């Protein structure tokens, strides 16, 4: 099964870009002239790939990221506007077009060359190479909590500062004054001695002729005016009055509607289709079998299975037509696979150590275990998870005169465009992609299968068509957070000190370091075995951190309890070498009043996980009464180095917590007969208003390298919650979701085992 | 032919009357603010008002609302120049993330406030139970409802309960 890995991505980037970086001198110079035609409207001047200025002095930031709820446009525009010393009320943003010319080369720079000390005189060459690299990689991805720390740090800030320098030079020339006497402030250029004040736009034309400097001077944190400030998101007014356009809202003249179905068993295909009853339904236009689509990219190839589509004059007819189809699916070697069988396989392969590789191996594990005063063993499991974005997968497509136009909400517009071109056998120039607001993404919308299906339909039909997946198809044809088993063994000495940590889990995914622990313990062996399944893998919010955060932070809690020590104090004693982690954990405990006693039936749990460049600790408070669980309160602390958009960061942490809480409480995709059992929100439940805890988020601006915010809130929540349940009841939950645990009965079984 | 009134305008529709209202609004009337989320009244993204009551339009056949008054998100604001107090509060509290569920959240909340101008936390839990937000903005939705209603952000009953629990 192909998988999206950052490691593969980075090494591919080095291969694709390495030769260019050292070998070819490409001076990008002023790209604005070339790019202008794509993004500059009437009265607008493109001053830089990412900045335009109009005749009303409004600055528009061009954002090479997709909006799926995270508020990326606002945060990146803040970064650009601050370095530009723009008036925030005169700043707008728009998503970059899905064109290679707007490939995200700052992201390439951050991923390939972060921290590299590059002499100024070669910077233009490097930047040129990065532009080529980003283009070759179709790099316009939104994910990995990367936008602020890559595109923002390496792109938007530099673009803002560069354009400010250009404008100052232009003003100095026009006014015949030394450039160091020109001040930029609130979208105006000022020369104090002569009393001259003019808006930025007065110099747009002359600045537009200049080549942007590649290493302009950036502000220090104490000079920030817009970064770090609470600003309102620009996209929200359209999201409260129904005018925001999601892909599902695209309306084209003469448009048909369609829905699709693939073989429920992954790897299966179509044997036969009886269309008779479907064709008789009022409004049904056609039944079309869509071929499988092979998509290759530098990230690896993947084949999306064939499907059956019902096309109609409206979605409702298409849906009824789909329900009326009698489809025989081909049998596959996976027809007998169940969740039970998968977990038995994991158990077997962990015990056998199949192809075990270590993430870290240090010290003498055998001796430590032999010398231990106590050895603690535990096995943890999590199930497959679907993404269930609020907006079911959909795309609209039209093919005319050999040109395909697609409207879609996706996390990777350039690679979607390439995949559609590949599937249709078109040149990429003959595919135009319009990226719309996404009703959630969470990793699912980095897979182009749904957009390809819409494009295939448009070719067959010769008419515009909107493909809408049913929610059932959305749940059953996802790319899933994998089911994982993780086995632990820890040794403690007479004083309860942790002397050895052993961990073996199945199915290694990105990020590489997800299973590592921050705690100081000399002897460690953390590794993974191979135990593949036929269930397709997908990046799911926080990827491998989503499960390892549950495993490791639950097991350290078990060790603390076995040592007879407070779980918070036990962690603190082992974090003395990591001051940032220590500060985050300590603040979380303080804000949550960790040491204040709770009433019987109530409990607190704590968890700490560093991911995507940020450190997050969470404390959960629960009440368990008569076996009923209430999640009362979550206190979260994040150190992402610096919060560019503090309220946006808090919103992301709240969101990450609720997303992880849905998974911890209810999330379970089960496999039966090789296919997914669950189908919709009634059997794949989400947290609702009454389940949602009060959440307090505290931000530490430590000044360290900037980290992400979209994902780091998710990893700690499951373990903080189960640790709290243990604290309240004595029940140690080692398998998610919690809905399967009888909180009244489990206590006796835990006690019996202990 | 089925006749309904949508946001104050009478609409005569030549549509199969078993078609759910959601698809009539979105496809025949191009009112795309009302969203499709599940098709089985589980998520609330399709919520509209029928004679002032919140209904899930994805499971409401057109025939069931014949002759009735429908309000969608496009008709929630009192006029083109003003926002409904809830829409205003939604912006002040910076509620939406992806925004896809928010039409439904707002329509449900508006129906709640219309009948219960000062809802308690428990009232909010019950009224909003049918609306899922996968971005998880529940605390902000709760705050915004209370802010628009002009009620205390901290429900005295809940605060009292919390004190009791904390004191054992």
């Amino acid at each position: 099964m192909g998988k999206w890995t950052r490691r593969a991505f980075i090494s591919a980037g080095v291969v694709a870009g390495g030769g260019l970086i050292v070998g070819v001198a490409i001076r990008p110079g002023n790209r604005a002239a070339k790019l202008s035609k794509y993004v500059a409207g009437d009265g607008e001047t493109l001053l830089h790939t990412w900045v335009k200025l109009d005749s009303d002095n409004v600055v528009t930031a061009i954002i090479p990221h997709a909006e799926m709820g995270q508020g990326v446009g606002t945060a990146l525009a803040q970064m650009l506007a601050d370095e530009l010393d723009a008036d925030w009320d005169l700043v707008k943003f728009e998503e970059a077009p899905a064109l290679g010319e707007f490939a995200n080369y700052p992201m390439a720079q951050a991923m390939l060359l972060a921290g590299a000390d590059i002499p100024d005189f070669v910077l233009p060459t490097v930047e040129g190479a990065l532009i080529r690299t980003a283009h070759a990689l179709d790099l316009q991805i939104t994910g990995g909590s990367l936008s602020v720390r890559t595109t923002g740090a390496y792109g938007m800030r530099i673009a803002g500062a560069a354009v400010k320098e250009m404008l100052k030079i232009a003003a100095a020339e026009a006014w015949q004054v030394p450039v160091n006497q020109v001040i930029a402030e609130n979208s105006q250029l000022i020369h104090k001695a002569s009393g001259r004040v003019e808006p930025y736009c007065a110099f747009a034309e002359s600045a537009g002729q200049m080549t942007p400097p590649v290493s302009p001077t950036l502000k220090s944190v104490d000079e920030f005016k817009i970064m770090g400030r609470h600003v309102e998101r620009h996209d929200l007014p359209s999201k409260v009055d129904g005018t925001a356009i999601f892909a599902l809202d695209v309306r084209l003249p003469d448009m048909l509607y369609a829905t699709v179905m693939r073989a429920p068993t992954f790897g299966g295909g179509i044997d036969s289709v009886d269309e008779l009853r479907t064709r008789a339904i009022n409004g049904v236009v056609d039944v079309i079998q869509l071929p499988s689509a092979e998509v290759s990219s530098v990230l690896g190839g993947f084949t999306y299975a064939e499907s059956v589509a019902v096309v109609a004059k409206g979605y409702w007819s298409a849906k009824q037509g789909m329900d009326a189809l009698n489809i025989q699916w081909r049998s596959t070697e996976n027809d007998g696979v169940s969740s039970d069988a998968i977990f038995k396989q994991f158990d077997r392969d962990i015990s056998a150590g199949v192809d075990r590789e270590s993430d870290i191996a240090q010290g003498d594990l055998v001796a430590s275990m032999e010398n231990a005063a106590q050895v603690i063993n535990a096995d943890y499991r999590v199930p497959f998870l679907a993404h269930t974005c609020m907006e079911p997968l959909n795309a609209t497509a039209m093919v005319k005169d050999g040109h395909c136009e697609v409207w879609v909400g996706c996390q990777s517009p350039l690679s979607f465009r390439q995949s559609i071109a590949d599937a249709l056998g078109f040149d990429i120039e003959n595919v135009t992609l319009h990226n719309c607001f996404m009703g959630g993404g969470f990793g699912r919308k980095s897979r182009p299968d749904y957009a390809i299906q819409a494009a295939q339909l448009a070719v067959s039909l010769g008419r515009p068509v909107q493909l809408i997946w049913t929610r059932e198809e959305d749940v059953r044809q996802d790319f899933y957070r994998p089911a994982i088993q993780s086995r632990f063994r820890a040794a403690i000495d007479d004083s309860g000190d942790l002397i050895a940590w052993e961990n073996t889990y199945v199915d290694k995914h990105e990020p590489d370091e997800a299973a590592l622990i921050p705690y100081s313990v000399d002897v460690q062996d953390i590794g993974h075995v191979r135990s593949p399944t036929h269930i397709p893998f997908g990046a799911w919010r926080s990827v491998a951190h989503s499960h390892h955060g549950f495993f490791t932070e639950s097991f350290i809690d078990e060790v603390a309890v076995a040592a007879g020590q407070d779980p918070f104090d036990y962690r603190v004693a082992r974090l003395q070498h990591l001051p940032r982690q220590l500060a985050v954990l300590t603040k979380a405990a303080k804000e949550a009043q960790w040491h204040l006693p709770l009433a019987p039936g109530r409990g607190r749990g704590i968890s700490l996980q560093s991911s995507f460049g940020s450190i997050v600790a969470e404390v959960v408070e629960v009440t368990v009464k008569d076996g009923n669980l209430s999640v009362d309160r979550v206190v979260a602390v994040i150190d992402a180095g610096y919060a560019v958009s503090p309220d946006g960061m808090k919103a992301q942490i709240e969101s990450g917590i609720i997303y992880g809480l849905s998974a911890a409480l209810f999330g379970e995709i089960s496999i039966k007969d090789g296919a997914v059992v669950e189908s919709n929100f009634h059997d794949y439940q989400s947290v609702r208003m009454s389940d949602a805890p009060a959440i307090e988020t505290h931000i530490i601006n430590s000044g360290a390298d900037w980290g992400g915010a979209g994902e780091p809130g998710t990893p700690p929540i499951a373990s903080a919650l189960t640790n709290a349940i243990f604290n309240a009841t004595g029940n140690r939950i080692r398998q998610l979701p919690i809905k399967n645990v009888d909180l009244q009965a489990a206590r006796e079984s835990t006690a019996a085992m202990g | 032919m089925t006749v309904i009134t949508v946001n104050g305008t009478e609409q005569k529709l030549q549509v199969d009357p078993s078609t759910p209202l959601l698809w009539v609004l979105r496809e025949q009337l191009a009112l795309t603010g009302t969203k499709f989320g599940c098709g089985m009244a589980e998520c609330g993204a399709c919520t509209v008002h029928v004679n002032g009551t919140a209904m899930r339009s994805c499971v409401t056949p057109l025939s069931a609302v014949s002759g009735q008054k429908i309000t969608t998100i496009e008709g929630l604001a009192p006029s083109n120049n003003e926002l409904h107090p809830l829409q205003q509060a939604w912006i002040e509290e910076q509620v939406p993330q992806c925004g896809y569920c928010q039409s439904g959240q707002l329509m449900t909340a508006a129906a709640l406030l219309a009948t219960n101008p000062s809802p308690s936390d428990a009232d909010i839990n019950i009224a909003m139970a049918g609306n899922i937000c996968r971005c998880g903005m529940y605390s902000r939705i709760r705050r915004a409802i209370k802010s628009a209603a002009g009620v205390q952000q901290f429900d005295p009953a809940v605060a009292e309960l919390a004190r009791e629990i904390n004191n054992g």
Side-chain angles (χ1 to χ4, degrees):
Chain A
M1 212 47 76
K3 63 172 186 171
W4 194 99
T5 73
R6 281 183 195 100
R7 199 173 20 179
F9 164 75
I10 287 171
S11 53
V14 170
V15 172
L20 293 169
I21 287 165
V22 293
V24 187
I26 307 158
R27 294 197 170 261
N30 183 355
R31 305 176 72 224
K34 203 175 105 194
L35 306 183
S36 206
K37 61 177 184 258
Y38 302 119
V39 289
D42 280 351
E44 291 181 331
T45 309
L46 191 69
L47 295 173
H48 185 285
T49 310
W50 315 116
V51 190
K52 59 184 184 177
L53 185 56
D54 76 8
S55 49
D56 292 327
N57 211 27
V58 171
V59 171
T60 301
I62 295 167
I63 308 289
H65 282 288
E67 178 55 57
M68 52 185 170
Q70 79 281 38
V72 64
T74 304
L76 293 188
Q78 278 181 272
M79 300 174 86
L80 185 140
D82 202 334
E83 294 291 355
L84 180 57
D85 275 311
D87 177 348
W88 180 247
D89 292 335
L90 297 176
V91 176
K92 295 195 302 186
F93 57 83
E94 64 188 38
E95 187 174 336
L99 296 169
E101 288 81 354
F102 290 89
N104 190 346
Y105 61 88
M107 183 183 252
Q109 182 177 358
M111 296 180 90
L112 303 173
L113 302 170
D117 191 12
I118 302 160
D120 270 10
F121 70 95
V122 293
L123 258 173
T125 307
V126 171
E127 189 169 283
L130 288 165
I131 290 167
R132 288 280 184 94
T133 306
H135 196 152
L137 289 169
D138 291 331
L139 189 61
Q140 223 180 40
I141 290 169
T142 302
S145 304
L146 284 164
S147 309
V148 165
R149 59 199 174 112
T150 63
T151 314
Y154 288 79
M156 293 298 143
R157 289 186 64 187
I158 289 161
V163 168
K164 184 170 73 177
E165 285 189 14
M166 290 151 70
L167 290 166
K168 283 164 84 170
I169 292 167
E173 282 173 4
W175 294 338
Q176 293 292 302
V177 298
V179 69
N180 62 9
Q181 291 179 9
V182 178
I183 297 166
E185 203 174 281
N186 272 329
S187 293
Q188 291 184 319
L189 291 154
I190 300 159
H191 184 248
K192 281 196 171 146
S194 61
R196 285 191 179 91
V197 179
E198 294 215 50
Y200 283 179
C201 60
F203 305 100
E205 203 183 327
S206 44
Q209 311 298 316
M210 297 175 197
T211 296
V214 288
S215 57
T217 308
L218 299 179
K219 290 181 175 179
S220 57
V221 172
D222 57 356
E223 294 172 306
F224 291 173
K225 289 178 184 158
I226 302 173
M227 284 186 269
R229 200 177 101 191
H230 172 57
V231 298
E232 289 195 346
R233 280 175 58 165
H234 281 10
D235 54 333
L236 296 202
S238 73
K239 290 177 173 179
V240 303
D241 67 4
T243 57
I245 297 296
F246 298 85
L248 195 78
D249 304 330
V250 170
R251 291 289 171 267
L252 300 177
D254 203 27
M255 186 171 85
L256 294 168
Y257 295 84
T259 194
V260 286
M261 193 172 186
R262 276 200 297 243
T265 302
F266 305 105
I270 302 158
D271 196 15
S272 67
V273 181
D274 177 358
E275 309 171 359
L276 203 67
R277 289 195 303 144
T278 299
R279 296 267 183 195
I281 289 170
N282 194 18
V284 168
V285 172
D286 208 347
V287 178
I288 299 172
Q289 293 193 28
L290 300 175
S292 62
E294 202 167 318
V295 169
S296 61
S297 73
V298 288
L299 307 180
F302 193 84
T303 301
Y304 296 99
E306 58 190 349
S307 51
V308 182
V310 177
V311 184
K313 289 178 183 162
Y315 171 81
W316 184 242
S317 301
K319 166 77 165 65
Q320 286 182 303
M322 181 58 76
D323 292 345
L325 276 183
N326 184 2
I327 310 171
Q328 299 300 314
W329 307 105
R330 271 199 308 275
S331 59
T332 80
E333 59 186 11
N334 299 314
D335 287 352
V337 176
S338 66
S339 291
D340 258 6
I342 287 170
F343 279 115
K344 276 188 186 131
Q345 171 196 314
F346 290 166
D347 204 59
R348 179 196 70 201
D349 293 347
I350 288 176
S351 297
V354 177
D355 297 335
R356 191 179 189 281
E357 281 181 51
S358 288
D359 297 336
I360 185 170
Q362 60 184 39
D364 188 340
L365 189 72
V366 175
S368 304
M369 291 294 171
E370 277 173 6
N371 298 332
Q374 194 183 343
V375 174
I376 304 118
N377 291 282
D379 268 68
Y380 283 79
R381 286 177 176 181
V382 292
F384 294 102
L385 293 175
H387 297 81
T388 56
C389 305
M390 279 314 300
E391 181 187 17
L393 295 174
N394 69 89
T396 303
M398 175 169 82
V399 175
K400 202 177 168 188
D401 304 329
H403 191 99
C404 178
E405 213 167 336
V406 177
W407 289 259
V408 67
C410 75
Q411 292 176 239
S412 187
L414 272 180
S415 71
F416 267 53
R417 199 174 145 222
Q418 183 67 58
S419 299
I420 292 163
D422 288 350
L424 301 186
F426 282 25
D427 289 336
I428 190 162
E429 288 72 27
N430 287 324
V431 177
T432 301
L433 186 141
H434 307 277
N435 206 25
C436 307
F437 280 135
M438 271 176 279
F442 311 122
R444 175 61 179 94
K445 291 175 184 169
S446 55
R447 295 283 193 164
D449 50 340
Y450 57 109
I452 292 170
Q453 289 171 326
Q456 289 173 327
L457 278 171
V459 171
S460 291
L461 292 164
R463 274 175 74 175
V465 60
Q466 179 162 87
L467 168 67
I468 305 172
W469 282 31
T470 61
R471 175 59 71 188
E472 289 74 14
E473 186 76 355
D474 184 275
V475 171
R476 290 177 170 163
Q477 295 292 339
D478 203 342
F479 293 83
Y480 300 88
R481 198 291 301 275
I484 303 281
Q485 178 163 337
S486 188
R487 178 168 297 167
F488 291 91
R489 193 159 64 123
I492 55 177
D493 66 14
D494 286 335
S495 62
D497 194 15
L498 177 59
I499 55 172
W501 177 277
E502 185 189 18
N503 178 204
T504 303
Y505 58 92
V506 298
D507 221 10
K508 174 80 173 169
H509 289 285
E510 299 291 306
D512 232 9
E513 70 283 5
L516 301 184
I517 55 169
Y519 306 109
S520 55
V521 46
D522 291 339
V523 180
Q524 293 190 36
D525 187 348
I526 300 171
H528 49 95
V529 298
R530 260 179 58 76
S531 190
T533 73
H534 77 291
I535 311 300
F537 164 84
W540 185 98
R541 198 173 193 168
S542 82
V543 203
H545 284 288
S546 74
H547 40 269
H548 289 299
F550 168 61
F551 301 147
T552 58
E553 281 296 293
S554 295
F555 190 62
I556 192 72
D557 228 64
E558 290 203 57
V559 173
V561 171
Q565 296 180 34
D566 176 89
F568 165 70
D569 295 338
Y570 200 74
R571 285 173 172 85
V572 165
R574 281 152 193 83
L575 284 173
Q576 298 302 313
H577 60 301
L578 295 173
R580 284 180 71 201
Q581 276 83 347
L582 186 61
V584 169
L585 190 79
T586 305
K587 183 163 178 65
K590 178 172 168 279
E591 298 292 343
Q593 300 171 289
W594 177 262
H595 290 290
L596 204 70
L598 288 168
R602 302 203 71 228
R604 268 192 212 102
I606 195 164
S607 178
L608 170 74
Q609 187 82 356
S610 305
S611 63
F612 308 95
S614 296
I615 303 162
V616 177
E618 288 165 15
V619 175
V620 171
E621 275 181 37
V622 298
T623 305
V624 184
K625 197 177 173 193
D626 304 328
N628 294 317
L629 169 68
S630 159
V631 185
D632 303 324
R633 179 185 183 214
V634 180
V635 174
V637 177
I638 176 168
D639 174 2
Y642 185 77
V644 169
S645 200
D647 186 62
M649 181 173 277
K650 286 182 180 179
Q652 283 291 286
I653 295 298
E654 290 166 28
S655 177
I657 286 171
I658 298 290
Y659 201 73
L661 193 59
S662 284
L665 292 171
F666 311 118
E668 182 175 37
I669 287 293
S670 3
I671 306 300
K672 189 173 174 247
D673 303 332
V676 168
V677 174
E678 290 75 15
S679 62
N680 206 317
F681 287 119
H682 67 292
D683 57 6
Y684 188 75
Q685 294 175 53
S686 286
V687 162
R688 292 169 185 273
M689 180 65 86
S690 55
D691 312 311
I695 301 174
E696 292 166 37
T697 304
H698 303 270
I699 292 171
I700 295 177
N701 283 330
S702 67
D705 286 346
W706 295 6
E711 290 164 286
T714 303
I717 187 64
S719 44
L721 173 59
T722 52
N723 292 340
I725 293 171
F726 177 83
N727 183 241
T729 66
N731 300 329
R732 179 63 68 184
I733 295 172
R734 299 191 185 90
Q735 292 186 25
L736 297 180
I738 297 164
K739 70 167 182 175
N740 295 340
V741 180
D742 181 342
L743 288 172
Q744 269 181 315
R747 181 168 198 172
E748 284 90 62
S749 68
T750 303
M753 273 161 50
Chain B
M1 190 172 69
T2 310
V3 181
I4 56 176
T5 302
V6 181
N7 300 331
T9 306
E10 190 177 270
Q11 303 285 352
K12 295 175 178 163
L13 297 154
Q14 296 282 2
V15 184
D16 174 355
S18 71
T19 307
L21 176 60
L22 169 66
W23 302 107
V24 176
L25 294 171
R26 292 185 53 84
E27 293 173 5
Q28 267 71 40
L29 303 178
L31 293 170
T32 55
T34 305
K35 303 302 188 201
F36 166 55
C38 68
M40 58 187 296
E42 280 288 329
C43 78
C46 66
T47 307
V48 298
H49 295 175
V50 177
N51 300 328
T53 303
M55 302 268 283
R56 312 297 180 213
S57 64
C58 75
V59 294
T60 305
L62 179 62
S63 57
V65 295
S66 175
Q68 314 292 306
K69 289 189 172 64
I70 318 290
T71 307
T72 69
I73 187 70
E74 289 89 349
L76 182 64
S79 76
N80 284 340
N81 314 321
E82 310 167 74
L83 292 175
H84 186 281
L86 279 166
Q87 291 172 314
Q88 193 63 51
W90 245 239
I91 291 174
E92 278 161 17
E93 297 293 342
Q94 294 282 288
V95 172
Q97 287 210 349
C98 87
Y100 191 82
C101 74
Q102 298 300 344
S103 299
Q105 303 278 1
L106 281 158
M107 296 310 285
T108 305
L112 166 68
L113 291 193
T115 54
N116 180 355
S118 51
S120 67
D121 276 310
D123 296 336
I124 292 173
N125 283 349
I126 292 166
M128 304 304 293
N131 289 78
I132 294 174
C133 173
R134 286 291 283 158
C135 299
M137 294 295 96
Y138 297 111
S139 336
R140 289 172 187 243
I141 292 170
R142 186 187 297 280
R143 276 209 305 274
I145 293 173
K146 290 181 173 183
S147 155
V151 299
Q152 290 180 33
Q153 287 291 340
F154 299 101
D155 190 325
V158 171
E160 183 57 32
L161 179 69
R163 262 195 302 279
E164 276 173 29
I165 291 169
N166 274 316
N167 298 332

